[in-house]
Each structure stands twice: as structure tokens, then as C-alpha cells.
């Protein structure tokens, strides 16, 4: 085995994916021929369900970019997507067998290579899968890599992640990834919309994040975000909202070292914490 499998936290569940195929940087060949007709059918049904839910809930930038994935009736070949993605923003997607450690993940992003899990969930996991699969990664993440500003933000995040790792701040920076790239909301001309991959690839959370009165939505603040723990097994209690991808990119330009110090001095917050200093975003 070239690399060690990765699991969430202290989970005792065996790791998903064949890590024996992975190189030292955790990338591997997609092995497209190994997909079964059932695998392709699962992808097709997931794509049809999620794309039908997008109007009025998903960012228009995401909706506009989604056709760039290409085929929707089968799992796409990564090299075919890369033929369109490289000229658009200089990014490429690379296959990985599953979850990968912090530092290799940051290093791939910093080099404009986005890791995409190559296996797909089983039919009985249609509504919920514990780990990210090829549908989550392709449908949720890849379309916005065709957006130049967002693509630059993800690369900048990766470069900052390498520095955070060496400062022992990887966990703090991971919260920024979670609350933006995975579960971010954006204010557009037509209203509040989702751009985070974890929302866009979930049939339930897509509507919950944008419309539920039970969710807390606040303007993105880096210190507040990095102080806030998150949920991996339920809808988010708090969502952070931006006004544009340019705002997100500009916000992450400064050195984060003093921000990490501020977060550590103030301490962690629960996922549903509410502070008087928050800038709440109201529905409607």
C-alpha cells in the first residue's frame, strides 16, 4: 500500500476506497472502465434530481457553469472534463481513492489540482452517503472551478493551507473551507443562494440552507467562522454569507497568522452559537 487510508475522526468503520492504487500524493487513475451500469445509473439519477432543484436555490454562477461538466447520463471521464477546465481557469481534476490527509490536500489545491473521489455510492445510499463520493465532488465542486474568481480563491486557500499546517492551524482553516467551499451562501440580485458543494449535492440541505427559518445565517467574518465548530452528520445550524466571490477572494489575501492567534485567544463556539456582534442575514 503506497499510502495510509483516511477516515473521519475516530471512526471504526473501514475506510472506503482502494488506497493500494494511490501514488505518494494520494492521486490515482480514475479507472473509468470499472464503473458498472448500476454506477452510471446512480450518477444519472442523482444528477437529474439535483439539477431539477437548483432554480431559485443555487447560485446563478453555479447554474451557468454546470453544463461544463459535460455528460449527465453517466459518470464523466475526468480527462474529458480537464480538456475544458484547463483552458478555462488552469485547473484540472485528479482522481483519489477517498479522503486524503490535510497536507496532501492543501498541496493539490495550491497546484490547481482538485482531488475527486472516484467511487460512487451504492443505490441504498442514494439519499445520504457518509463520505464524499464522485457525484458530490463532481457535481458539487467542479462547476465553480470554471469560474475564474472562485477558482483563484480555492488555489489561494490551498496555499494558505500549507502555511496553516506548519503553524498547527489546519483545523482552524478547515472551518473556513467547510463554511465557504462546502456550505457557503451568497447574496445575489434575486436573493440568497447556495454555492457550497455540500449544499448543492444534497437534496434536503439545498432547500433548508436557503429557506428554513430554523437556520442561522450571518455575514462571513473570518474570526467568527474559524471559531465555529460544524456538523458532519446533520444540516448546518449556521451558514456564513458572502456578497460576491471577489469579496471572498479579497478577504483571504492578508496573512492569517494574527487571525489564528485571535481565534485561539477567544476560544471555540458551538455550531449553533449566536453572538451579539454577529451580522444576521434575514430571509426575504
Amino acid at each position: 500500500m503506497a499510502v495510509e487510508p483516511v477516515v473521519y475522526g475516530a471512526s471504526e468503520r473501514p475506510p472506503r476506497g482502494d488506497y493500494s492504487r494511490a501514488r505518494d500524493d494520494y492521486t490515482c487513475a480514475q479507472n473509468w472502465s470499472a464503473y458498472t451500469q448500476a454506477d452510471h445509473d446512480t450518477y444519472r439519477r442523482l444528477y437529474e434530481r439535483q439539477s431539477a432543484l437548483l432554480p431559485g436555490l443555487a447560485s446563478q454562477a453555479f447554474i451557468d457553469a454546470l453544463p461544463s461538466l459535460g455528460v449527465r447520463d453517466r459518470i464523466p471521464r475526468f480527462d474529458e472534463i480537464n480538456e475544458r477546465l484547463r483552458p478555462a481557469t488552469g485547473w484540472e481534476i485528479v482522481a483519489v481513492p477517498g479522503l486524503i490527509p490535510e497536507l496532501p490536500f492543501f498541496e493539490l489545491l495550491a497546484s490547481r489540482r482538485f482531488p475527486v473521489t472516484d467511487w460512487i455510492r451504492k443505490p441504498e445510499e442514494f439519499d445520504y452517503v457518509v463520505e464524499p463520493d464522485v457525484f458530490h465532488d463532481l457535481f458539487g465542486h467542479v462547476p465553480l472551478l470554471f469560474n475564474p474568481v472562485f477558482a483563484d480563491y480555492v488555489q489561494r486557500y490551498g496555499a494558505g493551507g500549507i502555511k496553516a499546517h506548519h503553524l498547527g492551524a489546519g483545523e482552524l482553516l478547515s472551518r473556513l473551507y467547510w463554511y465557504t467551499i462546502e456550505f457557503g451562501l451568497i447574496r445575489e440580485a434575486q436573493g440568497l443562494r447556495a454555492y457550497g458543494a455540500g449544499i448543492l449535492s444534497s437534496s434536503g440541505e439545498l432547500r433548508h440552507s436557503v429557506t428554513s427559518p430554523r437556520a442561522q445565517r450571518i455575514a462571513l467574518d473570518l474570526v467568527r467562522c474559524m471559531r465555529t465548530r460544524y456538523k458532519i452528520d446533520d444540516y448546518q445550524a449556521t451558514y456564513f454569507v458572502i456578497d460576491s466571490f471577489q469579496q471572498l477572494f479579497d478577504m483571504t489575501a492578508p496573512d492569517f497568522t494574527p487571525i489564528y492567534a485571535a481565534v485561539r485567544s477567544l476560544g471555540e463556539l458551538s455550531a449553533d452559537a449566536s453572538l451579539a456582534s454577529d451580522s444576521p442575514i434575514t430571509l426575504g
Side-chain angles (χ1 to χ4, degrees):
M1 183 176 294
V3 294
E4 291 295 321
V6 179
V7 297
Y8 278 124
S11 173
E12 296 181 356
R13 180 178 46 79
R16 190 85 164 256
D18 180 7
Y19 285 78
S20 67
R21 299 185 295 119
R23 308 177 186 97
D24 289 344
D25 64 356
Y26 279 84
T27 66
C28 61
Q30 184 188 11
N31 194 14
W32 191 87
S33 63
Y35 297 128
T36 66
Q37 187 55 48
D39 291 335
H40 290 300
D41 187 59
T42 296
Y43 182 90
R44 177 189 59 78
R45 292 190 298 121
L46 285 165
Y47 193 113
E48 288 179 352
R49 180 180 69 173
Q50 287 306 116
S51 58
L53 297 174
L54 298 179
L57 298 174
S59 163
Q60 189 60 47
F62 178 87
I63 293 174
D64 291 344
L66 185 59
S68 298
L69 284 183
V71 295
R72 51 190 297 168
D73 60 348
R74 59 175 171 81
I75 300 170
R77 295 178 184 268
F78 294 179
D79 56 355
E80 292 178 355
I81 293 176
N82 286 334
E83 290 175 358
R84 297 182 292 275
L85 183 56
R86 288 192 194 100
T89 59
W91 274 82
E92 66 176 4
I93 58 175
V94 292
V96 291
L99 296 170
I100 68 175
E102 177 181 277
L103 185 56
F105 179 71
F106 291 146
E107 289 173 339
L108 287 173
L109 297 187
S111 61
R112 299 180 89 88
R113 303 172 74 205
F114 195 89
V116 174
T117 301
D118 67 346
W119 53 261
I120 192 164
R121 69 194 72 181
K122 302 299 182 186
E124 60 269 23
E125 300 171 303
F126 190 80
D127 291 319
Y128 177 74
V129 62
V130 175
E131 298 173 49
D133 69 344
V134 69
F135 176 76
H136 165 83
D137 284 344
L138 283 183
F139 186 94
H141 284 289
V142 174
L144 283 181
L145 291 178
F146 284 87
N147 179 285
V149 179
F150 190 81
D152 285 348
Y153 166 67
V154 179
Q155 189 275 333
R156 175 176 280 177
Y157 176 89
I162 296 172
K163 182 176 180 180
H165 175 81
H166 294 299
L167 292 172
E171 171 60 26
L172 302 184
L173 193 65
S174 73
R175 293 172 182 169
L176 179 63
Y177 186 94
W178 188 268
Y179 282 119
T180 59
I181 296 171
E182 287 288 358
F183 290 93
L185 298 179
I186 185 171
R187 284 192 284 194
E188 295 185 336
Q190 302 305 313
L192 200 63
R193 298 292 186 266
Y195 71 89
I199 302 174
L200 294 166
S201 61
S202 166
S203 61
E205 189 140 13
L206 181 55
R207 183 166 299 281
H208 171 85
S209 66
V210 176
T211 67
S212 174
R214 299 191 304 275
Q216 177 177 226
R217 303 167 186 86
I218 59 179
L220 178 63
D221 173 271
L222 293 178
V223 172
R224 173 67 162 91
C225 176
M226 291 188 202
R227 292 180 65 195
T228 308
R229 296 191 297 272
Y230 53 79
K231 298 183 177 184
I232 64 171
D233 56 359
D234 199 357
Y235 295 161
Q236 300 307 299
T238 299
Y239 298 92
F240 289 89
V241 183
I242 62 172
D243 291 321
S244 69
F245 295 143
Q246 188 65 50
Q247 176 202 19
L248 184 61
F249 180 75
D250 293 342
M251 186 180 289
T252 54
D255 177 14
F256 276 16
T257 304
I259 295 176
Y260 299 143
V263 171
R264 286 171 172 140
S265 68
L266 292 169
E268 293 186 335
L269 296 169
S270 65
D272 60 352
S274 179
L275 303 181
S277 57
D278 288 340
S279 298
I281 308 298
T282 57
L283 295 177

